[in-house]
Amino acid sequence: MDILLNVLLVLSLLGVFAYGFVLYEVLRIVTAWAADRWRDDWGKRPLLLKLSPKVLTAVLVLCFLAVVL
């Protein structure tokens, strides 16, 4: 019985990790897509699109860690 619970715990943790990774990838793709298609006549860019790539990566990693933890 203990082995079954350990296996279920590991599978659950892997599921949370996979969900966080998928969320990170989706946010990365959406922000890249939005940055490429933002038109100047739409007005000011949103804050996430103004960030440098390193800062944006840090923000996305924090989102990933928030989901995983």
Side-chain angles (χ1 to χ4, degrees):
M1 188 67 173
D2 287 339
I3 294 173
L4 178 64
L5 290 176
N6 288 339
V7 169
L8 290 176
L9 178 67
V10 168
L11 288 176
S12 175
L13 291 175
L14 285 175
V16 169
F17 183 77
Y19 177 75
F21 182 74
V22 167
L23 180 67
Y24 166 78
E25 287 296 319
V26 166
L27 287 174
R28 189 175 61 87
I29 291 168
V30 167
T31 53
W33 176 83
D36 288 342
R37 286 160 181 76
W38 189 266
R39 295 183 184 165
D40 291 334
D41 59 347
W42 288 353
K44 297 169 92 176
R45 286 179 175 253
L47 180 61
L48 278 178
L49 298 181
K50 292 180 185 178
L51 298 175
S52 69
K54 288 185 179 182
V55 174
L56 184 59
T57 300
V59 168
L60 293 177
V61 167
L62 288 176
C63 290
F64 167 76
L65 289 175
V67 169
V68 170
L69 296 176

